[in-house]
């Protein structure tokens, strides 16, 4: 869908801890247009769902890569920011992104803005090379199935592909932080297709090596909003405290605000929040240019 520019908030009350923020306004720095659809298609006027929607299976040639300076809020705006940094060695220097859609490209662009080394990986080697070249700044193209170069591996693939991809990599993911950003929507994006009591992230954890640690993150941020370069909130969940701290440090390094929701079982509800966002986009907001966020009172 085309990007909209809303200026109002659904709820501006500090008493309500969960709010949906409109994502309009001026982004930092100069930029060129990013692809208008979260599922990687350019020129689409269809509503753009969060990553993982079944429509995301269709991919186009790489669109233009957005260039902007990342908007950064106060470094200690989030109460636990200092504590996370004290845990040491949390800011990662290398990120591998498996997938070549819009969300993959936007995350890669912001990671490069945050001074990380970035590797992009896709089934189409030529397309991966094109995406890396378009990103510039030393981005490289990896090989599907080979050990990812990054210490953090972001799975930017449709929900139905996530577990097979992790199974294919097998022990090559040993010791990695594996970040799942998918949403397992049904065909109408009115519910999830995962069985009760589990989530895509939990199924990924079962398929991954024991030394890999899965974190759910970024599934509650629309790619079009992320591409604007604005500081938005990112909810995450995982069983390993250090993996969550490393993911949170990465989130902060690209100008976003991490919020820890608990262990990996919470991924079920984060994936449900993706459905909530689709409902808001269709009804309450009437567009997909908003983000969910947290406001603390006091």
């Amino acid at each position: 869908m085309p990007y909209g520019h809303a200026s109002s908030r659904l709820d501006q009350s500090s008493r309500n801890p969960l709010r949906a923020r409109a994502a309009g306004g001026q982004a930092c720095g100069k930029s060129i247009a990013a692809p208008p659809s979260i599922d990687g298609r350019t020129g689409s006027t269809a509503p753009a769902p969060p990553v993982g929607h079944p429509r995301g299976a269709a991919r186009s040639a790489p669109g233009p890569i957005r260039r902007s300076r990342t908007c950064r809020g106060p470094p200690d705006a989030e109460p636990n920011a200092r504590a996370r940094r004290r845990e040491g060695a949390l800011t990662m220097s290398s990120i591998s992104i498996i997938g070549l859609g819009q969300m993959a490209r936007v995350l890669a662009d912001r990671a490069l803005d945050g001074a990380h080394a970035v590797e992009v990986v896709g089934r189409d080697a030529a397309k991966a090379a094109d995406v890396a070249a378009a990103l510039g700044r030393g981005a490289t193209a990896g090989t599907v199935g080979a050990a990812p170069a990054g210490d953090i591996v972001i799975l930017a693939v449709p929900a139905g592909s996530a577990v097979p991809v992790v199974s294919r990599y097998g022990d090559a993911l040993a010791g990695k932080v594996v970040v799942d950003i998918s949403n397992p929507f049904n065909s109408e994006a009115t519910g999830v297709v995962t069985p009760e009591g589990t989530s895509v992230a939990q199924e990924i954890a079962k398929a991954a090596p024991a030394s890999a640690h899965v974190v759910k993150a970024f599934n509650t941020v629309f790619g079009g909003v992320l591409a604007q370069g604005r500081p938005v909130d990112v909810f995450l969940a995982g069983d390993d405290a250090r993996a969550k701290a490393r993911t949170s440090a990465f989130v902060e390094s690209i100008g976003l605000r991490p919020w820890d929701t608990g262990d990996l079982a919470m991924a079920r509800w984060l994936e449900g929040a993706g459905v909530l966002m689709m409902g808001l986009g269709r009804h309450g907001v009437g567009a997909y240019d908003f983000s969910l966020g947290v406001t603390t009172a006091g």
Side-chain angles (χ1 to χ4, degrees):
M1 77 174 187
Y3 292 141
H5 295 278
S7 59
S8 63
R9 294 179 178 179
L10 287 184
D11 186 352
Q12 298 182 8
S13 170
S14 62
R15 296 192 185 98
N16 188 345
L18 183 65
R19 69 173 186 268
R21 288 194 294 270
Q26 182 67 39
C28 292
K30 296 180 180 179
S31 65
I32 58 176
S37 172
I38 192 88
D39 63 7
R41 296 174 296 172
T42 59
S44 171
T45 57
V51 68
H53 190 276
R55 293 202 304 268
R59 304 293 186 202
S60 67
I65 302 298
R66 186 185 183 280
R67 297 281 185 263
S68 73
R69 294 192 303 273
T70 300
C71 298
R72 296 182 185 274
D76 295 318
E78 202 277 299
N80 294 323
R82 289 178 181 173
R84 278 197 298 273
R85 283 195 289 274
R86 283 198 298 268
E87 294 193 28
L90 299 182
T91 301
M92 307 306 297
S93 60
S94 57
I95 309 295
S96 291
I97 301 176
I98 301 175
L100 301 174
Q102 186 204 10
M103 195 71 168
R105 287 178 277 137
V106 171
L107 282 169
D109 191 47
R110 292 196 71 149
L112 289 163
D113 282 347
H116 298 279
V118 171
E119 173 189 60
V120 293
V121 184
R123 290 178 297 178
D124 186 332
K127 183 176 178 181
D130 288 345
V131 170
L135 287 165
R137 294 164 288 173
T140 61
T143 303
V144 171
D151 299 305
I152 290 179
V153 179
I154 299 175
L155 294 176
V157 299
S161 301
V163 170
V165 165
V166 169
S167 297
R168 177 175 182 178
Y169 275 87
D171 289 341
L173 295 175
K176 307 287 187 182
V177 175
V178 179
V179 179
D180 167 41
I181 71 172
S182 68
N183 279 308
F185 292 151
N186 61 22
S187 60
E188 300 299 323
T190 56
V192 297
V193 297
T194 47
E196 288 291 334
T198 191
S199 64
V200 174
Q202 289 167 283
E203 297 307 307
I204 289 171
K206 294 175 185 177
S211 62
H213 300 291
V214 177
V215 176
K216 188 79 179 185
F218 295 107
N219 74 299
T220 57
V221 182
F222 288 110
V225 172
L226 190 61
Q228 294 178 12
R230 297 172 61 82
V232 298
D233 292 344
V234 175
F235 301 108
L236 55 93
D239 288 335
D240 185 82
R242 187 161 181 82
K244 286 194 291 186
R246 294 164 78 178
T247 304
S248 294
F250 170 66
V251 169
E252 287 182 321
S253 76
I254 62 174
L256 307 174
R257 295 180 294 260
W259 292 94
D260 185 353
T261 67
D263 62 23
L264 199 60
M266 288 298 294
R268 171 86 181 171
W269 307 111
L270 291 182
E271 291 170 6
V275 179
L276 171 68
M277 292 181 70
M278 294 303 296
L280 284 169
R282 285 189 297 264
H283 303 289
V285 179
Y288 295 85
D289 58 352
F290 67 94
S291 65
L292 294 184
V294 172
T295 297
T296 57

